[in-house]
Amino acid sequence: MREQNAVLSTKTQENISGMRVVKAFAREDYEKEAFRKENREVLRLNLKVSYVWSDFVPVLDFLGSLCTPALMSLGAYMVVNGQLTLGVLVSFTNYVWMITGPMRNLGGVVNMLAMASTSAEKLFRYIDLGTSIKDKPVTRVPEKFRGHVVFDHVTFSYGDGVVLKDVSLDARPGQTIALMGATGSGKTSIINLMARFYECQKGTVSIDGVDVKDMPLQALRDRIGIVMQETFLFSETIGNNIAFGRPDLPQENIEAAAQAAQAGDFVADLPQGYETIVGERGLGLSGGQKQRVAIARALAYDPTILVLDDATSAVDMETEHEIQQHLQKQMKDRTTFIIAHRISSVQKADEILVLEHGCVAERGTHAQLLERKGLYYNMYLDQYRDFAAMEGQVS
Ligand SMILES: Nc1ncnc2c1ncn2[C@@H]1O[C@H](COP(=O)(O)OP(=O)(O)OP(=O)(O)O)[C@@H](O)[C@H]1O
Ligand SMILES: [Mg+2]
């Protein structure tokens, strides 16, 4: 019954958070039926529990109740024979009633214990799983975090199938490294290794000369600000979302970060400004607005290494351009990783890595890569062909 309850909870939770998808694909009836099926199973199991209950409880109750007349008869007999006073018999029966209550409760407790142990089993299964990425007994931190990221012949797989093959890169403090490549080519995986969400099987990833595997996770991630590919905001005020990594951040810094991420204007236009609650239980934001709040959150963290994983995919070209203008200032003293599909977002980078099936297929600056006339050049042509064609028509 408990397990089926869990199934039903999952179903409910998924349907609520995935409500838009269900509606968009007109699957309401299907989902309703699926819910009904699971719910019926809960009903069936509950009834079964009740049947078991009803088989035992009346019998036990009946047996228990038989004792009272038996005791009364025996007591009455003894009172008549003068072996017992009436007072003792009355108090004795009262005590019996007083003791049956707690004994019945004990039955309930046993039942609760059984239910709790099924739940506990599940809970402990997850607690025991824990995380495979832990601090080593002896950890090391760089003397000063400057943001020098080095990948030295890194090979990595999530389980089966190699995702990154022999990747090397050297991002010096203050440099901007751009990662490009088709979807699934391993761009996000590089970031996952740098922030040590996963560990590589071969090679080393180091920051300022220290292997990330030797660093305490807290210290490592304290220096890396990531704008994730999938934007997630908490059901909280915009201000608290921006200050998520630094809860005691003064309001002016929150606003400065929002300005730099081009979020300041739209937040200022909201009736409650930075106090507006967003997310599931608040105001719905557009995709681009969410991304800008997420960029502000990363900037407010004041990281040494800034990661923008497809961070401007949902904002228009013009806003993206403005964000980049502002980021230029922010990026001067930080090592920045930009993952993007638009040439316009990456062309100013100090080095552009083009990944293909987990390998670095091409690397260099915008000008060098154009000269190579390889993958990057083809992407460039694809993105500018229409534009060039139009130019041709005009001139
Ligand atoms: N958590 C994971 N577990 C197992 N495999 C994964 C996981 N994350 C990614 N992969 C696989 O690793 C490969 C590289 O994924 P990655 O997320 O690095 O791609 P990407 O270059 O960031 O793509 P995109 O442009 O679509 O974001 C893909 O084939 C993907 O299926
Ligand atoms: Mg990705």
Side-chain angles (χ1 to χ4, degrees):
M1 190 182 90
R2 288 268 121 181
E3 261 157 30
Q4 186 58 26
N5 270 338
V7 172
L8 193 70
S9 304
T10 312
K11 190 95 209 136
T12 313
Q13 195 261 332
E14 277 181 355
N15 268 306
I16 290 174
S17 47
M19 193 189 307
R20 279 161 201 263
V21 181
V22 175
K23 285 193 171 184
F25 287 83
R27 296 285 277 177
E28 287 101 326
D29 290 339
Y30 172 83
E31 287 299 328
K32 264 189 220 160
E33 189 45 50
F35 179 85
R36 208 169 284 139
K37 194 172 134 253
E38 300 301 349
N39 202 18
R40 242 181 262 129
E41 185 62 11
V42 171
L43 174 70
R44 191 185 67 80
L45 290 170
N46 263 301
L47 283 175
K48 198 170 155 191
V49 169
S50 301
Y51 281 131
V52 174
W53 200 243
S54 64
D55 276 349
F56 285 96
V57 173
V59 176
L60 289 175
D61 262 11
F62 179 70
L63 287 178
S65 319
L66 276 187
C67 294
T68 317
L71 283 175
M72 289 286 228
S73 315
L74 182 67
Y77 175 78
M78 288 166 84
V79 169
V80 169
N81 278 346
Q83 287 163 296
L84 208 67
T85 67
L86 192 58
V88 171
L89 177 64
V90 170
S91 48
F92 183 79
T93 13
N94 274 338
Y95 283 134
V96 169
W97 279 112
M98 279 162 83
I99 211 169
T100 43
M103 280 176 76
R104 271 167 183 277
N105 284 345
L106 206 62
V109 170
V110 169
N111 182 35
M112 256 160 64
L113 269 179
M115 291 210 281
S117 73
T118 354
S119 307
E121 218 173 275
K122 273 195 177 157
L123 209 58
F124 282 112
R125 200 159 59 219
Y126 287 110
I127 292 175
D128 290 343
L129 258 183
T131 160
S132 52
I133 300 198
K134 294 190 189 89
D135 283 351
K136 284 191 178 167
V138 182
T139 54
R140 226 153 63 85
V141 281
E143 265 161 41
K144 190 169 184 305
F145 268 105
R146 297 170 56 241
H148 187 184
V149 182
V150 177
F151 275 59
D152 185 17
H153 299 284
V154 169
T155 295
F156 169 67
S157 111
Y158 284 102
D160 37 34
V162 177
V163 170
L164 293 174
K165 271 173 254 156
D166 201 30
V167 172
S168 294
L169 69 86
D170 186 347
R172 302 191 162 274
Q175 277 195 329
T176 299
I177 304 292
L179 301 173
M180 290 192 93
T183 150
S185 55
K187 303 179 294 292
T188 303
S189 304
I190 289 191
I191 303 308
N192 285 344
L193 293 181
M194 183 173 69
R196 208 174 148 217
F197 294 124
Y198 292 87
E199 287 179 345
C200 59
Q201 283 86 14
K202 270 191 229 152
T204 51
V205 179
S206 64
I207 297 180
D208 296 316
V210 178
D211 191 332
V212 291
K213 290 181 187 172
D214 294 331
M215 275 193 223
L217 285 170
Q218 178 76 41
L220 169 70
R221 293 181 188 159
D222 194 52
R223 297 312 330 145
I224 306 179
I226 307 182
V227 182
M228 307 240 174
Q229 192 166 17
E230 277 150 36
T231 319
F232 179 83
L233 298 182
F234 291 93
S235 284
E236 262 278 4
T237 65
I238 294 185
N240 286 349
N241 264 297
I242 295 177
F244 179 69
R246 304 267 183 259
D248 40 13
L249 199 73
Q251 181 66 21
E252 57 193 81
N253 293 26
I254 294 181
E255 287 176 20
Q259 283 301 343
Q262 297 297 303
D265 290 347
F266 90 79
V267 177
D269 283 345
L270 296 171
Q272 283 161 298
Y274 288 87
E275 294 304 311
T276 312
I277 293 182
V278 292
E280 260 176 39
R281 279 191 293 278
L283 179 80
L285 294 183
S286 78
Q289 288 169 335
K290 276 191 226 162
Q291 280 193 333
R292 281 179 277 165
V293 173
I295 295 175
R297 174 169 63 192
L299 292 177
Y301 199 45
D302 192 21
T304 315
I305 300 168
L306 178 66
V307 177
L308 304 168
D309 191 348
D310 239 350
T312 47
S313 58
V315 301
D316 60 276
M317 293 278 243
E318 199 178 325
T319 312
E320 183 182 35
H321 185 70
E322 276 165 29
I323 294 176
Q324 274 169 359
Q325 294 286 316
H326 277 79
L327 281 182
Q328 289 299 327
K329 273 181 251 150
Q330 303 273 345
M331 277 152 54
K332 257 206 311 239
D333 322 308
R334 308 177 205 279
T335 311
T336 311
F337 286 82
I338 298 184
I339 298 179
H341 291 283
R342 289 182 200 154
I343 299 273
S344 59
S345 320
V346 301
Q347 58 187 7
K348 288 207 185 104
D350 295 294
E351 189 177 34
I352 302 166
L353 271 68
V354 184
L355 295 177
E356 195 180 30
H357 306 301
C359 302
V360 180
E362 288 175 16
R363 65 197 315 158
T365 62
H366 176 69
Q368 289 166 344
L369 289 176
L370 285 187
E371 234 166 75
R372 261 188 73 125
K373 301 224 182 311
L375 286 170
Y376 185 83
Y377 180 70
N378 283 328
M379 279 192 265
Y380 176 81
L381 282 189
D382 279 344
Q383 292 186 18
Y384 287 95
R385 186 172 289 136
D386 295 345
F387 182 67
M390 272 190 324
E391 286 265 286
Q393 280 166 12
V394 171
S395 54

